[in-house]
Amino acid sequence: MRNHSYRGLRLWAAGGLTAALLAAGTAGPAGAAEGEPADAAPIPVAITGPDTYDLPLDADPAEGEPQFRIGLRGPGEDPEPDGDGIIWPLHHGEYTVTIDATGLEGVADVELPCDAEGLVAVCTEWELYAGESYNRDWGIGLTPAAGSEAGATGTITVTGRGEGLEFTGHSVDVRVGGPEFRMRRLTEPEGFAAGDTFRAPLGFYNVGGLPADGAVLRFGGTRGLSFPQEFRNCEYAVENEGSPWERHTALCTFEGTFEAGTAYRVATPVKVRTADFALQDAFSYGFTTLGAGEADRLRASGEYRRGKGGKLALRAVRDADPADYVRYAELDLPTANTYDLDLTGDSAHGGAGETVAVDVTLENHGPAWLALLRSGGEPVTFTVEAPEGATFTEVPEDCHPQYSDEGTRTGDYLCMAFTPLLESDRRDFAFELRIDEAVEGARGRVHLPEWWDRQDGDPSDNEDWIVLNGARG
């Protein structure tokens, strides 16, 4: 689903600017519909969406996202905001998009957008933008109709109409009970440690109602994972190379027929090597029912190169248990490693009324990096307390004031060190303190939260002190 939050906030100033401009007789930038000659060539509009869709026999749109979406693409690239933050449309004026699902009657039950009645939805819009990102799209929900069997087919037809616009029609051919893969569940071997190599027994179960003509395997791992063995029917890429978000990926194609109700596994387990710094790095894989000739679109995320070595083959598995197969297969490797976060304070001297500078440092001494990938890279937080008789006057931008339960400021600050923290990472936080009263040996504690332990190999250095007019230690 596309994210339209920015569109809702800024496009034509949430609609209010539209009326103001029209009332004032003001046209947008060149290419907008207002002020164009009456005989201007119509703007071409492509209707986007899948050409085909295999509807699982157990599909249930109530579980979450619709099965697929229908969208619009105007000519040109996605627009950029102008100097006032406004994204101008190519066209302003009423137009309609009609989604006709009557071709699925008796094949599938359909949930259509735009307050549709029956199997036809007519959606009305006003603005059309270049590219795809800022144009409206519509979700289609499908469920096999009562009595519909594997192999039943039907078509959804989508058309558009609007003055000054020329739409290309689009259709989606729907097949019920087509091939559908579930992935073999993965588990970390007992005693697995950083530096070890996991032999991944990748596989899938065709739980659909029809055989698949070909299959594609895509697998990948985050920064601490790599693939030391290559296969000639696979292609390999490194995304975001050299950054904390580096990811190694592979794309393998398999020819042949993969029968419904049958499980398959790789004849040779895929080796996944873990680095010495690896900790809860994410490995994931998935087989899709795409034929070997349809894998090009999956290569868009990186520059792939052909692998060397033997061919990775698939073999049928007898007596496979469907409970061992899941929709999405992921595994964190390894779960047993440690890092060492070390907080270091500072010391300074000064008299009453003077301002002094102090630095607080957060270091990771490894051996593992701290990525917190499952939580989206949440920051590591720590508290910096003001020494007695002193007030913070300058703080880093990633530090924020603390408040008591009563809502009053305490004078302390909560600081954030954003992850990933690499295995030899260091973050410096510069503060300035005004000495209101010179107190000998005044100390302010610098510490990670009391609950912090996670997998820190040496919690003893999770706190330190800022000392004014005294000796640290």
Side-chain angles (χ1 to χ4, degrees):
M1 181 177 181
R2 295 188 184 96
N3 184 353
H4 294 286
S5 59
Y6 183 70
R7 176 180 187 269
L9 289 173
R10 298 296 301 170
L11 300 190
W12 286 72
L17 183 59
T18 303
L21 290 172
L22 293 176
T26 303
E34 298 296 325
E36 286 186 349
D39 59 351
I43 297 172
V45 185
I47 297 173
T48 64
D51 296 322
T52 62
Y53 182 77
D54 280 324
L55 176 62
L57 290 168
D58 60 353
D60 182 5
E63 292 182 353
E65 289 290 315
Q67 271 73 14
F68 58 85
R69 306 189 75 82
I70 297 295
L72 301 175
R73 183 175 64 245
E77 301 295 327
D78 292 343
E80 297 288 341
D82 67 7
D84 295 321
I86 300 172
I87 297 177
W88 293 92
L90 292 174
H91 168 88
H92 179 74
E94 181 177 327
Y95 64 89
T96 60
V97 173
T98 299
I99 304 172
D100 185 344
T102 54
L104 291 181
E105 187 169 3
V107 175
D109 296 329
V110 187
E111 292 185 8
L112 293 174
C114 309
D115 298 323
E117 294 185 6
L119 294 175
V120 178
V122 179
C123 303
T124 302
E125 290 294 322
W126 288 88
E127 282 94 20
L128 178 81
Y129 295 85
E132 290 187 61
S133 297
Y134 297 104
N135 287 314
R136 178 68 189 275
D137 61 3
W138 301 273
I140 311 295
L142 299 175
T143 307
S148 186
E149 298 180 351
T153 61
T155 301
I156 296 175
T157 301
V158 188
T159 57
R161 294 187 63 181
E163 185 176 353
L165 302 174
E166 183 176 14
F167 289 83
T168 59
H170 186 79
S171 61
V172 183
D173 294 325
V174 177
R175 179 176 60 174
V176 174
E180 183 182 359
F181 294 167
R182 294 287 188 271
M183 310 312 132
R184 180 173 176 175
R185 194 190 311 269
L186 299 177
T187 56
E188 183 184 31
E190 186 175 354
F192 193 83
D196 291 349
T197 296
F198 175 56
R199 294 171 58 85
L202 310 184
F204 67 90
Y205 202 124
N206 185 356
V207 300
L210 296 173
D213 181 16
V216 173
L217 164 64
R218 190 176 192 181
F219 60 88
T222 52
R223 176 175 172 263
L225 305 180
S226 60
F227 309 119
Q229 184 181 17
E230 295 185 351
F231 302 93
R232 68 172 182 265
N233 59 323
C234 300
E235 297 176 67
Y236 299 84
V238 181
E239 303 169 8
N240 304 313
E241 187 171 7
S243 82
W245 305 109
E246 181 173 296
R247 181 175 176 83
H248 297 253
T249 62
L251 189 68
C252 309
T253 57
F254 304 89
E255 298 178 349
T257 300
F258 301 97
E259 300 293 341
T262 304
Y264 298 84
R265 65 172 176 82
V266 291
T268 303
V270 171
K271 294 181 180 180
V272 184
R273 177 187 292 158
T274 61
D276 291 340
F277 63 79
L279 173 61
Q280 295 178 336
D281 277 78
F283 173 77
S284 62
Y285 82 96
F287 286 89
T288 67
T289 59
L290 295 176
E294 300 175 349
D296 286 347
R297 71 177 183 84
L298 295 177
R299 297 185 176 92
S301 62
E303 296 182 1
Y304 285 83
R305 58 172 182 79
R306 180 70 63 178
K308 301 176 182 178
K311 185 176 182 180
L312 183 63
L314 292 172
R315 294 179 180 174
V317 179
R318 295 183 179 181
D319 303 322
D321 184 353
D324 293 335
Y325 294 80
V326 293
R327 188 180 298 272
Y328 305 105
E330 295 182 313
L331 182 65
D332 291 344
L333 291 171
T335 56
N337 201 357
T338 60
Y339 48 82
D340 177 19
L341 296 189
D342 180 0
L343 268 174
T344 304
D346 201 354
S347 62
H349 290 76
E354 293 183 2
T355 298
V356 295
V358 293
D359 291 324
V360 173
T361 300
L362 176 68
E363 293 183 84
N364 180 15
H365 298 307
W369 73 320
L370 176 59
L372 300 179
L373 296 170
R374 290 294 178 195
S375 55
E378 68 174 296
V380 174
T381 61
F382 60 93
T383 299
V384 181
E385 300 176 1
E388 181 183 357
T391 303
F392 287 111
T393 57
E394 293 289 339
V395 299
E397 62 179 359
D398 292 328
C399 296
H400 306 281
Q402 291 275 69
Y403 292 85
S404 68
D405 293 339
E406 292 74 29
T408 58
R409 290 182 60 166
T410 63
D412 303 333
Y413 281 82
L414 183 70
C415 298
M416 296 182 292
F418 290 92
T419 57
L421 284 165
L422 302 188
E423 57 277 10
S424 57
D425 217 338
R426 171 181 170 137
R427 308 286 175 85
D428 295 309
F429 296 79
F431 294 83
E432 288 188 2
L433 283 161
R434 183 184 65 244
I435 300 176
D436 302 312
E437 177 185 356
V439 178
E440 184 177 354
R443 300 201 304 170
R445 184 171 172 238
V446 179
H447 61 94
L448 288 165
E450 301 297 338
W451 50 262
W452 180 270
D453 51 19
R454 298 193 184 237
Q455 289 177 261
D456 196 317
D458 182 12
S460 67
D461 55 9
N462 287 173
E463 72 170 2
D464 202 17
W465 302 89
I466 295 173
V467 180
L468 296 181
N469 297 315
R472 293 181 65 247

